[in-house]
Amino acid sequence: MEAVNGSDFGEVLEQCPPGLLLPFLEESNWRVSVRATLYIMGLLYCFLGIAIVADVFMGAIEIITSKTRKVYLASNTQGQDSEVVEVRIWNDTVANLTLMALGSSAPEILLSCIEIIGKNFEAGELGPGTIVGSAAFNLLIISAVCVGGIPEGETRSIRMIKVFGVTTVFSLLAYIWLLVVVAITSPGEVAVWEAVVTFMLFPLLVIVAFATDRGFICGVTREPGQKQIELEQPDGDKMISKRGFFKNGVLEKDALVAFVKEVKKYPGLSDEDAALLAAQKLVESQPHSKMWYRIGAVRNLSGGRKTQLKLTKKLKEKLDSRLQLVYDTINEHPEAPNLGPVPETDMSNAIIEFHATTCAVAENIGKFPITISRHGNIEETAKVRIESIDGTATEIEDYIPVDQIITFEPKELQKKVEIEIVDDNQWEPDEEFFLKLSLIPSEDNTNVQLGHMSIMEITILNDDEPGVLSFSKRGILVQESIGMARIPVVRTGGADGEVSVKWRTKDKSAFSGKDFIGGEGILTFQHTETERILEIPIIDDMEPEKDEHFEVELFEPMGGAKLGNIARLAVTITNDDAYNSITDHLMKMTNANMDAMRTHQDTWACQMRDAMNVNGGDLENATNIDYLMHFLTFGWKVIFSFIPPPSLLGGWPCFFVSLAMIGVITAVVGDLASIFGCLVGLEDSVTAITLVAMGTSLPDTFASKAAAVQEKHADNAIGNITGSNSVNVFLGLGLPWLMAALYHAANGTVFKVPSAGLGFSVVIYTAVALMAILLLMLRRQLSIFGKAELGGPFWPRVFSVCCLVGLWFLYVTLSSLQAYNIIKVHF
C-alpha cells in the first residue's frame, strides 16, 4: 500500500488496493471517515442481502430434499387394497451434510473460491480466515446462545448422538489436517495431493455419517419408540413420520373436526378462527429442519412473510390461556394422536368431570364450592387431580391456588371442592381463571377416564343477581352419526344462588323416537355456575335422508332467574354428505392458512407480491420493526423475486440462480471487508474472523435459538454445527485449494499458502474447540448440568455460557495479537 500525506482520521491515510469489483468510483481523495462509514454500511447491507437470497436458496433445497416416492405395502387383511405410503428419497443425514450444509455455508465457501480466483489463484487471508472464524463463532457463540436460551427448568439433548460424534471427530480432524497441510507436510505451500485429500474428506464424511445413521456402524442410532417407521429396504429410505393430523402427509378430517369442536366451545370464535388455530397447531406438530428455522429467522429479520402463524391481536386477546388448555385437554389421553379426537367415554370406567363448564362469582364471596361429578363405573375407588391455572386472574393476588387429589369412594357420585377468592378492595374488570382435572397414573387407578367437561372457567365479578337463562345461539348443526347433541345453556347477568329452568323438545321435520330421543326435564344451575350442557341423543338409522330438524325450548325459570331472548333453539340433523361439505370447507380454510406459512411460493407473481408487501401482506400483524426492515431490504427482495420459483423443475433452476447471486454478493462482501479493514487498520485475517464471520453466521444464530426453544431435542440447534464446520473446511478450502493447486501444477509453479497466521489460528481454534466439546460432553453426563447439552439449572447454565463466550474472546484475542506480530509464532 502506498502511503499519502495525512494528519488525522478525517484525512486520507493510505491508498488501499482495489478489490475484484470495487471501488466503482475514484475515491482515494475522500476523507477516510466518510469512506469507512460507507464501506461498513455497505458491508452490513450486503450481509442482509446474502441472508435474504440464502432464504430463497434454501427454499430450493427444501423442495429438492423433500422429494418422495410411493411405496406399496401388502395388506394383512384379505380383500383389502395395498397400503400406499410416501418415503423420502433423500436420507436426512446425507441431506444435512450436503445440500443443507451448502445452504448455510455457501457465503463462506464462495468467498474462499472467489478470493482465490480474484487473486489469480494465489492464496489470500480473507477466505481461510472466514472459514476458521465462522467455525469458532458457530461452535462457541451459537452453542452459548442455545445453552442460555432454553426456558427456565427445561433441557434439550442431542438425540442422534452417534452421528454427532462422527461429525465432531471429522470437524476436529478437518482442522488438524489443515494444520498438517500448512505447517508440517509442506510448510508454506499446498501440493495437489494435499488439496485432493482435503476435498475427498467431504464425501468420506458423508459416507461414514450415513452408515452410522443407518446402523451399519455402532449399531442403531435411533431411540426406542421414535415415531418414525423404517422400511426394510436395501437402500434404507425412511418413511415419512405419521404425526398429529397427518396420515401419509394428508390432513385427516376427523382429527380436524375434533379439534375445531373443542376450540369452538369458547364463545365468539368463528369457523375462520378455528381453522386459523388448527393451522397453527398443525405447523407446530410437524417435524422441522434447521433450514426451516433459518428461513424463519431471516424473514423475521427482514420483515418478510413469516413461516410461523401469528394470531391477530383480537384473537390472541380472546383466547389467551384458553387455547393451551384445549391443546392439553385433547392430548390428555395418551392413546390419542396429537390433536386427535378425545376417545368416546367407556362406561366400564369411572368417568369424572365438572358439573358445569363455567361459573361466575362475586369478588367478595370468600370461599365457595364447585361440584365434581362421577358416572359410569361407580363401584370402585377413583382419583383425579384438580389444579388451578391463571387466566387474566392470577393466583395469590386474585384467588388461592388449588392443587389437590380428589378421591371418590365406591358409590360416591359427587365431590365438593372449596375455592377461595381474594377480595383486595380495588376496582378491577371481570377476570377469569381455570380449574383443570387430570388423571393420576397408578396401578389402582387405571379404570378412570375424564369426561368432556374436564376444564372449568371461573369468572370473578361484582354481581349478585340470579341471572338470565338462555341458549347461546339460535341453532346448531350436528351430524347424524354424532351420537349426542351437546347444547350449551348459559346464565348471564348474575350467578347468585341455585336456579333452574324447564326444557322440552318439539318435533319438526325430525321426530322423537325416530331421529332423536326427545322429552323434557329440568336443568339446574348451582350457585355461581354460568353454563350447563343439555345432551340430546341423536339416532343414526344409516338411511340416506334429507336434512331434518327439531327444536328445544326453555320455559318456566325458577329460583328468581329470568328467560333471555334466545329461549328456543333449532337442532338441524345433517346427513353425512352435507356434514362432509362443512368439514371440507374447514379443511380448505386450514390448508389455506398452512399454505400461507410455506417457506416458498409456486409462482413469480406470488414471489413479487411477497417482496412488495411488508410481512408478506399480513399487515394486521406487522410490527414497526417489520415496516422498518421491509423498507431497508425492499431492494434486495424485489431483485430476488425474479429468481425462478422453487417449485419450477424440481427446484434446480432456483438452486443454481440463487447460488450465482450469492456468489456475486459474496464477491462484493470480500471487497468491502478488505477495503474497510485497510481504511481502519485491520488486517484481513482479523476482519475475517470478526466482522465477516459474524455477519455470515448471524442468521444461523437466530435459527438455532428458535430451534432450541421450540424443538424437543438439540439436534437442529447445535447437533449439526460440527458437520457444518467440517463441510466448511472440506469444501470451503478443499475446493479452491484444488483449483489453485491444479492451476499452478499446470504452469509449473507452486501454490503458496502462508503458514504463520492460518496455522496459529487453527491451533488456537482446535484447542478451544476441544474444551467446548468437553464441556458439552460433561453437560450431557453430569446431573449438575441437567444431563443435557442445553438448558438446565440456572447457575450451571450461566457458567457454561460464560465459558463458551470466554473461549471465543480468547480465540479472537490471540489470533489478532498474532496477526499484528505482538505474539510471534513460527511454523
Side-chain angles (χ1 to χ4, degrees), residues 407-418:
T407 302
F408 285 81
E409 301 296 338
K411 304 291 186 180
E412 193 172 14
L413 299 179
Q414 289 187 342
K415 296 288 285 187
K416 301 282 187 180
V417 177
E418 278 200 339

Side-chain angles (χ1 to χ4, degrees), residues 48-49 51-53 55 295-306 610-611 613-616 625-634 636-637 702:
L48 278 176
I52 295 170
V53 72
D55 172 358
I295 292 174
V298 171
R299 294 189 182 176
N300 288 334
L301 187 65
S302 63
R305 181 172 56 88
K306 303 299 187 290
D610 284 350
N613 292 284
V614 64
N615 203 22
I625 296 296
D626 287 333
Y627 278 99
L628 174 62
M629 296 309 299
H630 177 72
F631 172 76
L632 293 177
T633 59
F634 181 78
W636 290 125
K637 290 180 181 179
F702 295 131

Side-chain angles (χ1 to χ4, degrees), residues 275-276 279-280 283 292 295 299 304-310 588-602 606 609-610 615-618 621:
L276 195 67
Q280 180 192 44
V283 171
W292 186 85
I295 292 174
R299 294 189 182 176
R305 181 172 56 88
K306 303 299 187 290
T307 57
Q308 288 181 288
L309 184 66
K310 188 172 182 181
K588 288 178 181 178
M589 288 191 295
T590 302
N591 283 324
N593 289 322
M594 291 185 67
D595 286 342
M597 292 179 281
R598 289 190 303 172
T599 58
H600 66 276
Q601 293 287 17
D602 292 332
C606 291
R609 182 196 62 200
D610 284 350
N615 203 22
D618 184 11
N621 292 307

Side-chain angles (χ1 to χ4, degrees), residues 150-193:
I150 302 298
E152 185 71 27
E154 297 183 17
T155 59
R156 305 284 189 274
S157 295
I158 294 174
R159 177 174 58 87
M160 299 180 68
I161 189 63
K162 292 180 180 178
V163 174
F164 178 73
V166 169
T167 57
T168 299
V169 170
F170 268 85
S171 70
L172 294 174
L173 173 65
Y175 289 92
I176 293 173
W177 170 251
L178 188 57
L179 181 61
V180 169
V181 169
V182 300
I184 298 177
T185 58
S186 54
E189 63 182 61
V190 175
V192 173
W193 73 269

Side-chain angles (χ1 to χ4, degrees), residues 472-784:
S472 59
K473 57 182 70 175
R474 297 186 181 277
I476 64 170
L477 190 69
V478 298
Q479 187 183 14
E480 189 179 40
S481 58
I482 195 173
M484 191 76 69
R486 304 180 74 248
I487 305 169
V489 181
V490 296
R491 179 186 189 182
T492 58
D496 188 52
E498 182 176 298
V499 298
S500 301
V501 65
K502 293 182 179 180
W503 64 270
R504 62 191 170 204
T505 61
K506 289 188 174 182
D507 293 352
K508 293 297 182 180
S509 57
F511 297 94
S512 179
K514 177 178 179 294
D515 301 302
F516 67 98
I517 300 177
E520 59 183 36
I522 297 177
L523 193 64
T524 300
F525 289 76
Q526 295 183 7
H527 178 56
T528 75
E529 291 182 347
T530 56
E531 182 176 312
R532 291 294 314 278
I533 301 297
L534 180 60
E535 295 187 337
I536 308 292
I538 304 298
I539 298 174
D540 186 1
D541 54 17
M542 306 301 291
E543 295 179 1
E545 298 174 301
K546 295 181 178 180
D547 291 352
E548 302 167 323
H549 77 282
F550 64 94
E551 290 184 353
V552 183
E553 182 183 18
L554 300 178
F555 65 101
E556 293 186 15
M558 295 167 280
K562 300 178 181 179
L563 279 183
N565 293 329
I566 308 177
R568 182 175 294 182
L569 174 139
V571 179
T572 302
I573 306 172
T574 71
N575 59 35
D576 289 345
D577 291 338
Y579 187 77
N580 286 339
S581 66
I582 296 170
T583 55
D584 286 343
H585 177 61
L586 282 173
M587 290 186 70
K588 288 178 181 178
M589 288 191 295
T590 302
N591 283 324
N593 289 322
M594 291 185 67
D595 286 342
M597 292 179 281
R598 289 190 303 172
T599 58
H600 66 276
Q601 293 287 17
D602 292 332
T603 65
W604 268 292
C606 291
Q607 287 186 169
M608 292 178 184
R609 182 196 62 200
D610 284 350
M612 299 289 287
N613 292 284
V614 64
N615 203 22
D618 184 11
L619 301 182
E620 185 176 358
N621 292 307
T623 64
N624 292 334
I625 296 296
D626 287 333
Y627 278 99
L628 174 62
M629 296 309 299
H630 177 72
F631 172 76
L632 293 177
T633 59
F634 181 78
W636 290 125
K637 290 180 181 179
V638 172
I639 293 171
F640 300 145
S641 67
F642 288 95
I643 296 175
S647 59
L648 185 66
L649 300 178
W652 290 108
C654 178
F655 178 89
F656 288 111
V657 174
S658 55
L659 184 62
M661 287 197 171
I662 292 175
V664 172
I665 303 174
T666 301
V668 176
V669 164
D671 289 352
L672 289 168
S674 182
I675 297 174
F676 172 76
C678 171
L679 291 171
V680 298
L682 284 177
E683 294 289 336
D684 278 354
S685 60
V686 178
T687 305
I689 65 174
T690 53
L691 283 176
V692 183
M694 287 190 290
T696 55
S697 298
L698 277 178
D700 284 317
T701 306
F702 295 131
S704 293
K705 171 64 163 52
V709 173
Q710 298 178 36
E711 294 277 312
K712 294 182 179 179
H713 299 281
D715 297 71
N716 277 337
I718 63 168
N720 54 7
I721 285 177
T722 52
S724 178
N725 288 350
S726 304
V727 173
N728 276 356
V729 172
F730 300 149
L731 287 183
L733 291 181
L735 182 59
W737 280 2
L738 181 59
M739 292 188 299
L742 291 174
Y743 174 85
H744 282 279
N747 288 278
T749 55
V750 175
F751 175 45
K752 296 185 178 298
V753 177
S755 60
L758 180 59
F760 182 79
S761 183
V762 169
V763 168
I764 299 302
Y765 168 73
T766 304
V768 297
L770 282 169
M771 288 186 277
I773 291 168
L774 177 61
L775 175 61
L776 293 176
M777 292 173 61
L778 290 175
R779 287 185 55 84
R780 186 178 180 89
Q781 298 299 325
L782 299 181
S783 57
I784 189 175

